[in-house]
Amino acid sequence: MVDRWPEGPAAHFGLGLVVVTSVIVESLAGPVAGVLVAGVFAALFLVVLVVLLLRGLRGLDAGRRAYLFTFGWANWA
């Protein structure tokens, strides 16, 4: 099967980094700080998803693009 979205693995890596960072921050600064880190990225994903839905994208394409926008920065990490 051909990978139609080559940015996907980098976005998965970005999501993994957010989870690991959230756990590390939670262990060092407390659970509120860890949830705050994860919550910021969750809020960013939801905002981008709403914007894409308002622009006319539907279904999985909107979700994929929001996911790539939110976590695809791992290409540069």
Side-chain angles (χ1 to χ4, degrees):
M1 183 171 160
V2 176
D3 186 14
R4 292 177 30 200
W5 305 297
E7 302 90 3
H12 299 329
F13 185 67
L15 176 61
L17 284 176
V18 169
V19 170
V20 168
T21 302
S22 180
V23 169
I24 290 172
V25 168
E26 180 180 348
S27 67
L28 295 175
V32 173
V35 170
L36 184 63
V37 170
V40 166
F41 281 96
L44 175 62
F45 174 80
L46 290 175
V47 167
V48 173
L49 182 61
V50 167
V51 168
L52 291 174
L53 290 172
L54 289 175
R55 292 187 66 207
L57 289 173
R58 292 289 177 242
L60 292 177
D61 191 38
R64 179 187 61 84
R65 289 186 185 196
Y67 180 72
L68 290 176
F69 181 84
T70 306
F71 301 108
W73 49 264
N75 268 339
W76 305 293

